[in-house]
Amino acid sequence: VQLQASGGGLVQAGGSLRLSCRASGMILSVFSGSDMAWYRQTPGNQRELVASITSHNGSRNYADSVKGRFVIAKDNTKRTVYLYMNSLKPEDTAMYYCYFKYTATGGRDYWGQGTKVTVSS
């Protein structure tokens, strides 16, 4: 299984991006049984949770800094989780990582390779 993140790039402040994270090689039952999240990290700082979505009931949570601007969503048929990023700010500039945690007993977790988002002022 590999998590393939894409969609990052350079955008002006106020613009939008859609990040995608495709779980290559993951069977549907594992995908649908996984909690998923997007994290971001800037140089010299710890990775921070941006948004998450649970496998149980699709409950979503967001960091205060992105509430009302970002939306996390998933598509089981495409084995893909998305992060819709709107009204981007320069402080959103970071490397963004997707993360999956299979919630079954003994289930493992997975990290994507990261996709860079740069927001210019």
Side-chain angles (χ1 to χ4, degrees):
V1 172
Q2 282 190 328
L3 300 188
Q4 300 166 323
S6 61
L10 174 63
V11 63
Q12 287 189 331
S16 299
L17 284 174
R18 186 189 75 169
L19 304 185
S20 300
C21 179
R22 181 173 178 274
S24 175
M26 184 175 283
I27 61 175
L28 179 57
S29 60
V30 174
F31 183 90
S32 59
S34 294
D35 294 339
M36 303 169 193
W38 286 93
Y39 286 76
R40 66 186 180 188
Q41 188 173 26
T42 53
N45 293 307
Q46 288 188 334
R47 203 167 286 190
E48 65 166 341
L49 178 64
V50 175
S52 63
I53 184 168
T54 65
S55 62
H56 171 59
N57 57 6
S59 176
R60 296 168 171 83
N61 283 288
Y62 300 93
D64 287 343
S65 58
V66 307
K67 278 181 183 176
R69 301 188 297 122
F70 290 12
V71 175
I72 187 170
K74 63 178 179 176
D75 186 331
N76 287 351
T77 61
K78 295 183 179 179
R79 310 290 196 274
T80 300
V81 63
Y82 302 97
L83 185 67
Y84 294 87
M85 309 166 67
N86 301 305
S87 302
L88 282 161
K89 304 175 180 180
E91 51 264 44
D92 295 318
T93 295
M95 187 71 78
Y96 284 73
Y97 299 89
C98 54
Y99 170 78
F100 284 28
K101 169 62 178 174
Y102 183 40
T103 58
T105 301
R108 60 159 292 178
D109 56 3
Y110 306 85
W111 284 98
Q113 85 283 10
T115 184
K116 182 68 183 294
V117 172
T118 303
V119 184
S120 63
S121 56

